[in-house]
C-alpha cells in the first residue's frame, strides 16, 4: 500500500509497543488462567484478572494471541506487521462482539465493560504498531514519500 509508511523513523518504538502488547496479553492470559482454573471453559462467574472479567476460554485466547504477537515481534522481517494488523482486527471483533452480548447468555468469554475497553485500546495500539513498523528498501521508502506528497 502506498499510504503505509516504509522505514518510519520511529519503527523501533512501534515494534517495541507491539511486543509490550503481546507481553500484556500473555500475562493477562496466564493470570486469568490461574484464576479460573477449575471452572467451566466458558463459565460466567465473577472471575477477574487485572480488574477485567475473564474465564478459561478467554484466558487461553489471550495467551495464544499474545504468543503469536510476541513471536512475530521476535521474528520481524515485516511478518510482525502482518501479525500485528490481523491480531488487532481479531481482537477488535472479539471485543465488539463481547460488548454486543455483554448482558446475555451469548457472552461466552465472560467479558466486562472494563475488558472490552482495555482490549479495544490494545487493538488500536497494535494496529498502529503494525502500520508504522514496516521495513523496506530505499526505493520503497522513496515511493512512499512521493505518494505521501501527492496526497
Amino acid at each position: 500500500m502506498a499510504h503505509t509508511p516504509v522505514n518510519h523513523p520511529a519503527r523501533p518504538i512501534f515494534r517495541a509497543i507491539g511486543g509490550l502488547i503481546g507481553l500484556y496479553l500473555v500475562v493477562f492470559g496466564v493470570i486469568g488462567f490461574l484464576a479460573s482454573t477449575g471452572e467451566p471453559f466458558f463459565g460466567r462467574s465473577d472471575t477477574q484478572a487485572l480488574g477485567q472479567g475473564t474465564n478459561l476460554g478467554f484466558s487461553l485466547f489471550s495467551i495464544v494471541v499474545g504468543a503469536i504477537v510476541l513471536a512475530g515481534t521476535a521474528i520481524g522481517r515485516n511478518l510482525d506487521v502482518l501479525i500485528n494488523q490481523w491480531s488487532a482486527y481479531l481482537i477488535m471483533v472479539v471485543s465488539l462482539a463481547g460488548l454486543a452480548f455483554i448482558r446475555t447468555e451469548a457472552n461466552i468469554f465472560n467479558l466486562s465493560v472494563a475488558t472490552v475497553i482495555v482490549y479495544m485500546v490494545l487493538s488500536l495500539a497494535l494496529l498502529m504498531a503494525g502500520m508504522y513498523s514496516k521495513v523496506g528498501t530505499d526505493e520503497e521508502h522513496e515511493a512512499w514519500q512521493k505518494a505521501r506528497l501527492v496526497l
Side-chain angles (χ1 to χ4, degrees):
M1 291 187 204
H3 60 278
T4 302
V6 178
N7 298 338
H8 193 277
R11 74 180 179 269
I13 295 169
F14 288 114
R15 190 168 173 198
I17 289 171
L20 288 173
I21 291 171
L23 183 64
Y24 176 83
L25 292 172
V26 169
V27 168
F28 170 78
V30 168
I31 293 171
F33 181 82
L34 295 174
S36 61
T37 301
E39 295 182 11
F41 194 72
F42 292 123
R44 297 202 30 162
S45 64
D46 291 336
T47 305
Q48 288 194 346
L50 303 177
Q52 303 166 46
T54 188
N55 61 16
L56 198 57
F58 190 63
S59 296
L60 290 177
F61 169 79
S62 298
I63 291 170
V64 168
V65 172
I68 291 171
V69 169
L70 280 175
T73 302
I75 294 170
R77 293 187 229 134
N78 287 338
L79 183 63
D80 58 336
V81 172
L82 188 66
I83 288 174
N84 287 349
Q85 288 178 349
W86 283 103
S87 298
Y89 297 141
L90 176 66
I91 293 170
M92 279 184 205
V93 167
V94 170
S95 296
L96 288 173
L99 184 62
F101 300 122
I102 206 160
R103 292 182 184 245
T104 67
E105 293 296 319
N107 185 7
I108 60 170
F109 283 147
N110 195 29
L111 299 181
S112 64
V113 174
T115 310
V116 171
I117 291 171
V118 168
Y119 268 68
M120 285 302 289
V121 169
L122 289 176
S123 67
L124 290 173
L126 194 59
L127 184 61
M128 178 187 63
M131 291 183 152
Y132 285 96
S133 56
K134 186 174 182 181
V135 179
T137 63
D138 290 335
E139 292 81 25
E140 291 173 330
H141 178 69
E142 189 175 317
W144 169 71
Q145 288 287 354
K146 288 179 183 177
R148 185 180 71 116
L149 294 175
V150 170
L151 296 176

